[in-house]
Amino acid sequence: EGTRRLPGGSGASHPHSAAQTPLPLTFFDIFWLRFPPLLPLFFYESPHPKATLLDTLLPKLKHSLSFTLQHYLPLAGNLTWPPDSPKPIIQYNEGDAVSLTIAESEANFYHLSGNGFREAERFHHLVPCLRASETRAPVMALQVTLFPNAGFSVGIAAHHAVTVVSDPSDQIEKAYLNGWLAHNGPNNRSLEIWDLKAPPDVMFGTFQMTQANMESIKKWVKAKLQEKHKENKPAALHQSTFVTASAYTWVCLIKTRKLPTEKVQLAISVDCRARLEPPVPSTYFGNCITGCIVHADTDELMGEDGVAVAVRAIGEAIGRLDDGVLKGAEGLITNLLSPRKKEGCSVSRARLGLSSTKLISGGGDRGRWRWYKLRKVELSPFRIPEMEMVGLRLG
């Protein structure tokens, strides 16, 4: 079940020459400076032979990528940190290109794109590698892997640090820069990426939670909270589908791991776009997230009403963001670079990913893409993070 490279890859570039284009990072980017890249993996059904896929699929993908780079030129550039620059920049030079790898796999396409338990190491060869050094890191790389007579996958490796949102006070940006410079420093300007690859014996699975599941859990939680606050009317609670799903998954994770610690924390990535003043459009392309830390007692989460306790804790933490989504953001980098497990406390991390079937699938142009049905989207199924949630409707 090996994967081998095929001819036809290389680099996809902007079709017209462009001048040297530097783009400085902002505080939203700098926080993710040495984080592993985002690694979304898309599986498409297309029961056609290898020759058909090579002759029809690849030319369309290359054309689409080249066309896209006309509008998102920095994606073909590299992240650098010049000695005379106070912060890292994305540098595009004429001739820069996005690395594109074409490969063929003998693995079982339907097993890899299914919902059962799968070995993490079997996905390593389906995504490209961002070959970062201390002085240079590509912004993006792509890999198309063919599964003849079954389908193909598109793996994307995108550096976490790409955006253009400004920090009105510069205080958050300074805190993040100082944090990275001091980490393993002093004056550590390394752009090498952390390796958080899961060990080879790790298994992962996909669990689907339907709208009916969510509504049932929401009703149960509401009843439990009303019962617990019979005498006093409970305060308004932020109980979205994300909060409910996060709470349920968090409790399951804690019960499975049987944590010995008295306290637990849940770190959630928060979308800042609609919470900034002025708000950032929903179509914004780039980093615009911050962190939200939820605290809870382990015993309470493991109790009979654990999910209800988790919903209230997460809902209250998210509700406090109304006081300012960036309030206290200066301290996030310090918490990040401190030891991951503090005495008597264990930290879990959750991330909500919203994926669109229009990405790469051709959008509304169903004629050109009629052979390619999006079957599955995976978010970094080969990394250490313990749980990730994807909101996606297929079909």
Side-chain angles (χ1 to χ4, degrees):
E1 297 188 345
T3 301
R4 61 180 181 275
R5 296 185 63 164
L6 299 175
S10 61
S13 60
H14 188 285
H16 308 292
S17 61
Q20 190 179 65
T21 306
L23 181 64
L25 298 191
T26 68
F27 73 99
F28 275 119
D29 311 315
I30 293 169
F31 181 84
W32 307 101
L33 185 62
R34 295 175 193 151
F35 269 71
L38 300 172
L39 295 172
L41 181 60
F42 299 79
F43 287 95
Y44 292 88
E45 282 188 275
S46 183
H48 298 278
K50 174 182 173 181
T52 303
L53 293 175
L54 288 172
D55 294 340
T56 59
L57 165 68
L58 294 183
K60 291 179 180 179
L61 283 177
K62 288 182 178 181
H63 173 77
S64 296
L65 179 58
S66 179
F67 181 79
T68 301
L69 290 178
Q70 297 181 42
H71 304 281
Y72 299 100
L73 195 58
L75 294 180
N78 292 278
L79 186 64
T80 66
W81 197 342
D84 59 347
S85 175
K87 57 185 176 181
I89 63 172
I90 299 171
Q91 181 70 57
Y92 173 82
N93 296 318
E94 184 177 347
D96 283 347
V98 174
S99 172
L100 174 62
T101 300
I102 308 300
E104 179 183 6
S105 176
E106 298 175 354
N108 187 318
F109 173 83
Y110 294 99
H111 173 68
L112 293 178
S113 60
N115 292 332
F117 285 98
R118 291 143 288 160
E119 302 87 351
E121 65 175 348
R122 299 179 67 180
F123 289 81
H124 293 164
H125 303 297
L126 301 181
V127 293
C129 178
L130 281 186
R131 303 190 181 281
S133 66
E134 290 192 358
T135 59
R136 175 182 173 278
V139 171
M140 176 178 283
L142 301 174
Q143 177 174 326
V144 178
T145 304
L146 308 181
F147 297 81
N149 301 309
F152 62 93
S153 66
V154 177
I156 304 174
H159 202 289
H160 237 311
V162 181
T163 186
V164 290
V165 176
S166 61
D167 174 12
S169 67
D170 287 337
Q171 295 304 309
I172 301 175
E173 180 178 293
K174 290 178 181 177
Y176 290 175
L177 284 170
N178 291 335
W180 285 121
L181 287 169
H183 185 60
N184 296 329
N187 197 33
N188 180 11
R189 293 181 172 233
S190 174
L191 299 176
E192 286 189 309
I193 296 171
W194 286 345
D195 183 9
L196 298 182
K197 187 179 296 183
D201 59 345
V202 166
M203 303 284 289
F204 76 95
T206 302
F207 303 90
Q208 294 179 312
M209 303 179 75
T210 65
Q211 187 63 36
N213 296 148
M214 289 295 96
E215 292 303 320
S216 177
I217 297 174
K218 285 181 180 180
K219 290 180 180 179
W220 181 87
V221 168
K222 184 177 181 180
K224 283 293 181 181
L225 293 178
Q226 289 178 341
E227 179 183 335
K228 192 173 182 179
H229 300 84
K230 285 183 178 180
E231 299 181 0
N232 301 318
K233 183 178 179 181
L237 182 65
H238 182 89
Q239 191 183 352
S240 64
T241 297
F242 172 60
V243 169
T244 304
S246 297
Y248 182 83
T249 309
W250 189 23
V251 170
C252 289
L253 179 65
I254 291 172
K255 289 183 176 180
T256 300
R257 295 181 60 188
K258 299 180 180 179
L259 296 173
T261 56
E262 296 180 1
K263 300 285 185 179
V264 287
Q265 295 179 355
L266 178 66
I268 299 177
S269 296
V270 178
D271 187 345
C272 297
R273 289 175 298 182
R275 299 176 182 270
L276 295 175
E277 292 293 340
V280 176
S282 60
T283 54
Y284 171 70
F285 183 87
N287 288 318
C288 197
I289 58 177
T290 188
C292 176
I293 307 299
V294 185
H295 304 268
D297 293 329
T298 306
D299 288 342
E300 289 190 9
L301 294 184
M302 294 185 67
E304 180 180 348
D305 300 337
V307 176
V309 172
V311 165
R312 174 158 290 282
I314 297 173
E316 290 178 348
I318 293 178
R320 287 193 289 272
L321 296 174
D322 292 338
D323 297 332
V325 69
L326 298 179
K327 185 178 181 180
E330 297 91 338
L332 287 176
I333 193 70
T334 302
N335 293 333
L336 169 71
L337 299 178
S338 62
R340 295 297 177 89
K341 288 188 177 181
K342 299 181 179 180
E343 184 177 355
C345 182
S346 177
V347 180
S348 301
R349 289 174 172 79
R351 181 171 72 193
L352 174 65
L354 296 177
S355 303
S356 170
T357 56
K358 291 184 178 181
L359 181 61
I360 302 178
S361 67
D365 189 357
R366 305 305 302 171
R368 292 179 57 196
W369 297 90
R370 62 185 181 277
W371 284 348
Y372 317 133
K373 178 184 177 182
L374 180 60
R375 172 177 168 85
K376 185 76 176 292
V377 179
E378 297 284 5
L379 291 181
S380 306
F382 17 71
R383 286 284 165 77
I384 289 177
E386 295 157 333
M387 59 180 178
E388 298 205 9
M389 284 169 278
V390 181
L392 179 66
R393 294 177 180 175
L394 302 179

